[in-house]
Amino acid sequence: MNDKIINRTHIFFIGLLFYIIRNFLVYTAYPVPGIVLRFLWLVVELCWITAIVMRMRFNWHTIVEIGLIAWGYYNLSVTGSWNFVAICYMLFASKEIEVKKIAKFMFQITSVLLMINIVWYTINFALGKVQLSQTRQVDGATILRHDFFFNSANGFSFYLFFTVLMFVYVYYDKIKKGYLYGILLVSAWFTFVFPNTRTIALLFPLFILFDLCKGKVWDKVVSKICRHLYIIAFVLVIIVVYLFAFHSNAITQKINEAMNGRLTMVAGAYQLYGINLKGHRIINENLYLPNLGYFKLYIDNFYGMLVIRYGLIVTVIVSFFAMITSRDLYKNNKRIELILLSFVFLFGLSESTALDIFPAFPWLFFKETNIYKKDKKPEKIKELRE
């Protein structure tokens, strides 16, 4: 039995390696042929389907897993996004594998890829071969940003942010707090100065603030906020977008400016596509709408993207994952995991990529829920050698 489990574990991690490489290439601006990306995904599918089949037992868990993966593929055909089916695959193919082991593997591979990429970008910048990307703010100002050969500066910050959080999760109990806080503050400075991503630059010190509350009177308040943060953020976005689209005033206009026009994008996408069960394939294009003016349609908000692009069925499933995970992490006193998951929800206020389980690894904490653990086999699992 142990041999089979070890083989299945290795198969999962081989698939994960190919998935990490594929996702990294997708987010970067390097000219990678589509056939290479398709080949990498086929390897991922082969590995993770094999891992699922090797431990599968026919029960209601199996039926649910097959149904979710099937809907994931249908959602892919409608939306063009792999994110939901990738979440299902990774959760179901990694049964009996600890989240920390997966996160450590992710960190080891991603940190190497990022370091190589940063060094290569720095060399090209020193040689004058790099053109800084430009972002035009709602107020008309233009800022120059380092994208580090990613498709956008925000894409680089997305990878850097969750790579640092992987480090925090894996080594939180093994590193002195002073060093940990120093790493977070340097990461915040780097993110603000070079890719100039304000949201992420604020989230790094916010983790320090939350961590300093540990054991103090504010600790329970922080934990309760994190437990309910998904639903708070979701409802807040819906209300603000509705008011901006149909009852706009000075307050909603200021919020939209602070979010660099993200309310305009979500409101525009809603007016163009609406909301249905299966989702839509969103086309990024320059548009004009009478009540919104001229804007580029790009839903840069996780909650708006979830409802409009992925549809109500995926929205309900993802919301179930988020709320059940937050509840069980809170009940089981998994404080760091709860904070890290809440950072996905905060990140999603200004970015649409929060549903991508790699590098947004805190979605893996669904494996810590009681409903997920009910289907785990009782046998003691032999650990892989580090």
Side-chain angles (χ1 to χ4, degrees):
M1 175 62 72
N2 283 342
D3 290 338
K4 290 183 179 180
I5 292 171
I6 290 174
N7 289 336
R8 187 170 70 241
T9 301
H10 276 107
I11 290 171
F12 167 77
F13 278 109
I14 292 171
L16 181 57
L17 174 62
F18 277 84
Y19 187 68
I20 291 172
I21 294 171
R22 179 192 178 277
N23 249 30
F24 185 83
L25 294 175
V26 167
Y27 275 93
T28 60
Y30 298 115
V32 182
I35 191 171
V36 173
L37 298 178
R38 287 193 292 272
F39 169 76
L40 292 173
W41 177 250
L42 285 173
V43 175
V44 173
E45 286 179 308
L46 178 62
C47 290
W48 286 354
I49 290 173
T50 301
I52 292 172
V53 171
M54 288 178 68
R55 61 94 187 149
M56 187 171 283
R57 308 187 303 280
F58 188 77
N59 53 28
W60 72 271
H61 288 274
T62 301
I63 297 173
V64 170
E65 290 174 13
I66 293 174
L68 286 174
I69 291 173
W71 184 261
Y73 273 107
Y74 177 72
N75 189 256
L76 165 64
S77 70
V78 174
T79 66
S81 172
W82 299 88
N83 286 341
F84 181 68
V85 71
I87 286 180
C88 296
Y89 265 137
M90 196 176 295
L91 288 174
F92 303 146
S94 64
K95 286 286 181 75
E96 292 113 11
I97 304 176
E98 294 179 358
V99 177
K100 190 160 289 189
K101 185 180 290 294
I102 300 172
K104 184 176 182 179
F105 183 85
M106 286 180 172
F107 172 73
Q108 290 171 336
I109 303 300
T110 311
S111 59
V112 171
L113 292 174
L114 271 180
M115 286 305 300
I116 294 173
N117 191 74
I118 291 172
V119 170
W120 178 241
Y121 179 89
T122 304
I123 292 172
N124 280 270
F125 180 76
L127 295 174
K129 297 181 179 180
V130 169
Q131 183 176 358
L132 300 184
S133 61
Q134 297 184 12
T135 298
R136 185 170 296 280
Q137 305 289 82
V138 171
D139 59 8
T142 299
I143 57 174
L144 299 177
R145 313 170 73 185
H146 293 269
D147 57 27
F148 291 89
F149 293 143
F150 274 64
N151 290 324
S152 67
N154 283 1
F156 169 78
S157 298
F158 170 51
Y159 257 73
L160 178 65
F161 177 59
F162 282 106
T163 301
V164 173
L165 292 190
M166 291 173 199
F167 174 84
V168 171
Y169 174 59
V170 173
Y171 297 104
Y172 179 80
D173 295 323
K174 301 177 182 179
I175 187 173
K176 292 182 179 180
K177 289 298 178 67
Y179 294 146
L180 179 63
Y181 295 166
I183 291 170
L184 291 170
L185 290 175
V186 170
S187 299
W189 169 83
F190 184 88
T191 306
F192 183 77
V193 171
F194 294 102
N196 193 240
T197 310
R198 295 170 296 177
T199 303
I200 291 175
L202 291 172
L203 288 177
F204 282 125
L206 184 62
F207 179 89
I208 298 175
L209 181 62
F210 282 3
D211 196 53
L212 289 173
C213 291
K214 185 177 182 180
K216 297 181 174 60
V217 65
W218 286 99
D219 194 9
K220 289 185 178 180
V221 176
V222 169
S223 296
K224 286 186 178 180
I225 290 174
C226 290
R227 175 185 175 177
H228 300 291
L229 188 58
Y230 176 82
I231 194 67
I232 293 172
F234 204 140
V235 172
L236 182 64
V237 168
I238 291 174
I239 292 173
V240 173
V241 170
Y242 174 79
L243 291 175
F244 176 77
F246 301 106
H247 304 281
S248 185
N249 54 44
I251 296 176
T252 57
Q253 291 290 345
K254 286 293 183 182
I255 294 174
N256 188 46
E257 287 182 15
M259 298 182 69
N260 200 26
R262 286 174 170 83
L263 296 184
T264 302
M265 301 175 192
V266 177
Y270 171 72
Q271 292 185 33
L272 283 172
Y273 293 95
I275 298 173
N276 62 18
L277 293 176
K278 63 182 183 179
H280 301 91
R281 188 179 292 264
I282 305 296
I283 300 174
N284 299 332
E285 55 185 334
N286 294 315
L287 296 171
Y288 171 81
L289 292 176
N291 61 326
L292 298 175
Y294 290 98
F295 65 98
K296 182 176 178 60
L297 181 62
Y298 179 80
I299 310 179
D300 215 3
N301 175 277
F302 161 65
Y303 303 95
M305 177 72 81
L306 186 61
V307 174
I308 299 171
R309 183 180 185 185
Y310 291 96
L312 290 178
I313 291 179
V314 169
T315 298
V316 170
I317 296 169
V318 170
S319 298
F320 173 80
F321 282 178
M323 290 187 289
I324 291 295
T325 305
S326 298
R327 183 200 68 184
D328 285 5
L329 292 177
Y330 177 82
K331 286 184 176 181
N332 297 328
N333 199 30
K334 292 185 176 292
R335 187 176 181 279
I336 294 301
E337 289 86 345
L338 181 59
I339 292 174
L340 293 177
L341 181 62
S342 70
F343 274 31
V344 176
F345 307 147
L346 288 173
F347 172 82
L349 289 171
S350 63
E351 301 294 337
S352 61
T353 51
L355 191 60
D356 196 337
I357 195 168
F358 173 81
F361 75 98
W363 288 108
L364 287 170
F365 293 143
F366 181 70
K367 289 164 61 66
E368 301 289 346
T369 63
N370 297 329
I371 190 171
Y372 183 93
K373 290 181 177 180
K374 283 181 181 179
D375 192 42
K376 288 178 70 174
K377 292 184 179 181
E379 292 90 354
K380 185 177 180 181
I381 307 303
K382 182 178 179 181
E383 297 287 343
L384 284 172
R385 292 184 179 181
E386 297 291 336

